Amino acid sequence: MPRSSPAVAHTVARSRLGAKGKKAKQQLPIPDSDPIVVTPTPTPFKADDSVDFDALERNIERWLETPLSGFVLTTANGEELALSEAERIEIVRVAARAHGGQRFTIAGIDNPSTRETLRLAESYADAGADMVRVRVPRGLSDSAVEDYFDAVTGNSPLPVVVIHQTFTGVPAASPETLGVVCAMDNVFGYITDHDLRFEAYVRSEVPDDRSFWICNGGLLAYGALMGANGACMWLGNVAPKLCMDIMTLGLQGKFAGARELQDSASKLDRTIIKYGTPGVKEALRLLGFEGMRPRKPTPGVDADATARIRALLESEGILR
């Protein structure tokens, strides 16, 4: 489902934020045209298991040389559950400083408490985030989900990106409820889960003036065909140009070309994600990114996995 204007959602998010009076009206560094491709940024660690903030800054500087639109911090791919709150806030602060307004920063929040979600949103706003990505709480009724987001969007100091990844395969709310949530003031857009059949129903409910981002590198072309106008997925860290090219071709209706590139993206997704976040980090280590070891006690990948990932990156032209 195409949007009436690529810039509409960006304007809406800015003006509604200012109208609520939570903060001074700000000019967010968000592209004025689609596709927008953002990626959950891995957290680098030192050998002593502390967060390597200097490496994060240098990694961000490298990603600035790619087509990526922005960075999503404090996510599952960033090992958020292994981080303290102070570390998560500082990660957002360092990333925002590193890109210096050349991109935009989204801080992830996964908390079913309205009070805690808003407290975290304030902390991330103070750290320099441009938006917050808020996960749909699991296990609530549709009416409770609406109440949660009504309070969050009505009081957040930053525009909200709604994410519907449950990690369970069970939808957290109905398509109709997700549409109601996405139509709320101060909502910038929506990130899908992996069930394309379900998310196609959601696509028909989400207003055209909201961003609608597909969640996985193996689904980019199919998401564009369904009506996605952007993406948020870990593969963007490893192959940002490939991901952007697929989404661009999809939005142009050039699906033959998009499908050819999608084959490559699907190969990368299938092999690397088999090893989880450690696999993503290993691919990035091979590409020269710093601090790409998982936080203990999560182990890194073994030599066989490294060889498989290296061979794939080379065969797909990512590693030369």
Side-chain angles (χ1 to χ4, degrees):
M1 178 182 294
R3 295 191 305 189
S4 57
S5 169
V8 167
H10 316 149
T11 303
V12 167
R14 284 198 292 260
S15 63
R16 285 177 176 165
L17 177 62
K20 288 178 176 296
K22 304 301 180 191
K23 284 186 177 292
K25 191 171 181 180
Q26 51 185 297
Q27 294 298 311
L28 303 183
I30 301 169
D32 286 331
S33 61
D34 293 319
I36 293 175
V37 174
V38 299
T39 187
T41 306
T43 303
F45 295 104
K46 298 178 181 178
D48 67 1
D49 215 31
S50 62
V51 177
D52 194 335
F53 294 106
D54 291 338
L56 175 62
E57 190 164 353
R58 290 190 291 270
N59 289 342
I60 292 287
E61 290 171 355
R62 284 196 58 184
W63 277 308
L64 290 179
E65 299 173 3
T66 75
L68 281 181
S69 307
F71 305 97
V72 189
L73 292 310
T74 68
T75 67
N77 193 62
E79 298 171 84
E80 62 183 329
L81 296 181
L83 297 167
S84 70
E85 182 175 318
E87 287 173 326
R88 294 197 300 270
I89 292 170
E90 187 61 19
I91 284 168
V92 171
R93 192 186 316 278
V94 170
R97 182 178 67 230
H99 70 65
Q102 298 179 63
R103 301 292 192 275
F104 66 98
T105 302
I106 305 174
I109 299 176
D110 182 0
N111 196 303
S113 163
T114 303
R115 181 184 180 88
E116 282 300 292
T117 296
L118 290 170
R119 185 184 65 80
L120 287 168
E122 291 283 354
S123 295
Y124 289 138
D126 290 342
D130 299 298
M131 299 188 207
V132 285
R133 184 232 64 196
V134 180
R135 194 177 303 279
V136 180
R138 281 80 80 193
L140 298 181
S141 66
D142 278 8
S143 61
V145 168
E146 288 188 30
D147 289 345
Y148 171 86
F149 276 104
D150 186 57
V152 168
T153 61
N155 294 281
S156 172
L158 298 172
V160 173
V161 178
V162 177
I163 185 170
H164 179 232
Q165 290 181 343
T166 66
F167 305 114
T168 65
V170 178
S174 68
E176 293 78 11
T177 293
L178 294 172
V180 168
V181 167
C182 289
M184 291 178 179
D185 284 358
N186 210 25
V187 171
F188 179 84
Y190 174 84
I191 303 172
T192 71
D193 206 338
H194 295 77
D195 184 345
L196 286 186
R197 184 180 186 183
F198 178 87
E199 297 298 347
Y201 302 152
V202 178
R203 171 68 277 193
S204 67
E205 300 291 338
V206 172
D208 290 349
D209 66 351
R210 300 297 192 268
S211 287
F212 191 93
W213 296 342
I214 197 70
C215 69
N216 183 268
L219 301 174
L220 293 170
Y222 313 108
L225 183 62
M226 182 179 68
N229 43 45
C232 174
M233 75 279 111
W234 68 261
L235 186 60
N237 294 297
V238 175
K241 184 178 185 302
L242 174 65
C243 294
M244 181 63 81
D245 287 348
I246 293 171
M247 289 304 305
T248 299
L249 289 170
L251 290 186
Q252 293 172 348
K254 298 177 181 178
F255 287 103
R259 176 58 189 273
E260 183 177 349
L261 295 181
Q262 182 63 63
D263 287 343
S264 179
S266 294
K267 289 177 186 177
L268 290 163
D269 180 74
R270 181 179 182 183
T271 297
I272 296 172
I273 203 58
K274 181 188 303 183
Y275 307 104
T277 296
V280 176
K281 285 193 155 183
E282 183 63 9
L284 289 169
R285 186 190 70 80
L286 291 169
L287 291 169
F289 288 86
E290 300 180 49
M292 292 295 106
R293 55 175 63 86
R295 190 167 234 183
K296 297 173 183 176
T298 302
V301 302
D302 59 23
D304 180 65
T306 294
R308 289 174 181 270
I309 292 171
R310 180 189 295 275
L312 180 64
L313 292 175
E314 290 175 345
S315 69
E316 298 306 311
I318 306 299
L319 178 62
R320 295 179 174 85

